[in-house]
Amino acid sequence: MLEKTTRMNYLYDFYQSLLTPKQRSYMSLYYLDDFSLGEIAEEYEVSRQAVYDNIKRTEAMLEEYEEKLLLFHKFQERNKLIANMKEMLKEGSPSAEALNVAVAELEKLD
Amino acid sequence: MLEKTTRMNYLYDFYQSLLTPKQRSYMSLYYLDDFSLGEIAEEYEVSRQAVYDNIKRTEAMLEEYEEKLLLFHKFQERNKLIANMKEMLKEGSPSAEALNVAVAELEKLD
């Protein structure tokens, strides 16, 4: 569950601009502010089932966007390369060749 | 017009996965293969006006996606930083500090 929460937080971060205001409200209460379905239902004066359905649909939409655009995936790949470069740069005299390889990999990701 | 074509080519590249198959067909014939509206209309046995309307709507959708997700904008920013790093790496003994700054900028873009 923690893994799913982390993933949803990232997907929400990348694709929230594509959601409706209501989807954004429910998702951020549920995933960022840790509200229960019941608490959200009370807040919006709707049934718990309605909140649940909306959140499930939104989760599916976020996964669909990720399948199409791969923003989270590319972010992770880019992060690995950047961490790598930082590591190289910490070691005093970085190898220009190794850095060039990392830069080329970064370029390919876009 | 050339500028618009270039921009649309990029936006199409980034967001084509969010379009319908018909939108993709019209856009790629018009923007990538340089077909005229009349030629596309003939190919699909629809009116020239229908093709025009579909392409205009798709262009607006692509601009809306860009407004929300900024993929093309970030791509350009990332490209500048990458070009910069390549330039530094060409100069024999690159400054670790300058490279660190560039890497930090890259990280901020995501």
Side-chain angles (χ1 to χ4, degrees):
Chain A
M1 182 57 189
L2 185 65
E3 214 172 283
K4 188 184 168 194
T5 301
T6 307
R7 180 174 174 83
M8 277 302 145
N9 268 306
Y10 271 110
L11 295 185
Y12 179 71
D13 214 43
F14 283 112
Y15 301 112
Q16 59 175 294
S17 62
L18 301 175
L19 303 177
T20 67
K22 192 168 82 175
Q23 287 178 316
R24 274 202 290 271
S25 302
Y26 288 5
M27 287 298 280
S28 83
L29 287 173
Y30 190 66
Y31 278 110
L32 307 181
D33 304 332
D34 208 26
F35 274 45
S36 71
L37 295 173
E39 287 168 331
I40 301 172
E42 216 171 290
E43 184 86 10
Y44 282 85
E45 298 181 4
V46 295
S47 70
R48 191 183 169 289
Q49 185 65 37
V51 175
Y52 176 83
D53 290 346
N54 187 294
I55 288 177
K56 284 297 135 192
R57 256 198 318 277
T58 308
E59 286 174 2
M61 274 181 69
L62 292 178
E63 289 291 358
E64 224 176 285
Y65 282 130
E66 174 62 11
E67 220 170 275
K68 289 176 175 169
L69 295 172
L70 295 172
L71 298 189
F72 180 39
H73 172 76
K74 286 181 182 176
F75 165 78
Q76 288 173 302
E77 295 297 306
R78 198 145 38 224
N79 259 10
K80 273 185 237 163
L81 290 167
I82 287 176
N84 231 323
M85 291 173 78
K86 280 179 160 175
E87 207 47 54
M88 289 186 226
L89 288 169
K90 249 201 279 181
E91 288 163 11
S93 55
S95 140
E97 290 99 299
L99 283 165
N100 263 320
V101 171
V103 170
E105 290 289 325
L106 267 178
E107 214 171 6
K108 266 199 292 185
L109 267 179
D110 249 319
Chain B
M1 181 56 190
L2 185 64
E3 215 172 283
K4 186 184 169 192
T5 301
T6 307
R7 180 174 174 83
M8 278 301 145
N9 269 306
Y10 272 110
L11 294 185
Y12 179 72
D13 216 41
F14 283 111
Y15 302 112
Q16 58 174 293
S17 62
L18 302 175
L19 303 177
T20 67
K22 192 168 83 177
Q23 285 178 317
R24 274 203 289 273
S25 303
Y26 287 5
M27 286 298 281
S28 83
L29 287 173
Y30 190 67
Y31 278 110
L32 306 181
D33 303 333
D34 207 26
F35 275 45
S36 70
L37 294 173
E39 287 167 331
I40 301 172
E42 216 173 290
E43 184 86 10
Y44 282 83
E45 298 182 5
V46 295
S47 70
R48 192 184 169 287
Q49 186 65 37
V51 176
Y52 176 82
D53 290 345
N54 188 294
I55 287 177
K56 285 296 136 191
R57 255 198 318 276
T58 308
E59 287 174 2
M61 275 181 68
L62 293 178
E63 289 291 358
E64 225 176 285
Y65 282 130
E66 174 61 11
E67 220 170 274
K68 289 175 175 171
L69 295 172
L70 295 172
L71 299 188
F72 180 39
H73 173 75
K74 287 181 181 176
F75 164 79
Q76 288 172 303
E77 294 298 305
R78 198 144 40 223
N79 259 11
K80 273 184 237 163
L81 289 167
I82 287 176
N84 230 322
M85 292 174 77
K86 280 179 161 175
E87 207 48 53
M88 290 186 225
L89 289 169
K90 249 200 280 182
E91 288 163 11
S93 55
S95 142
E97 289 100 300
L99 282 165
N100 263 320
V101 171
V103 169
E105 290 289 325
L106 266 178
E107 214 170 6
K108 266 199 292 185
L109 267 180
D110 250 318

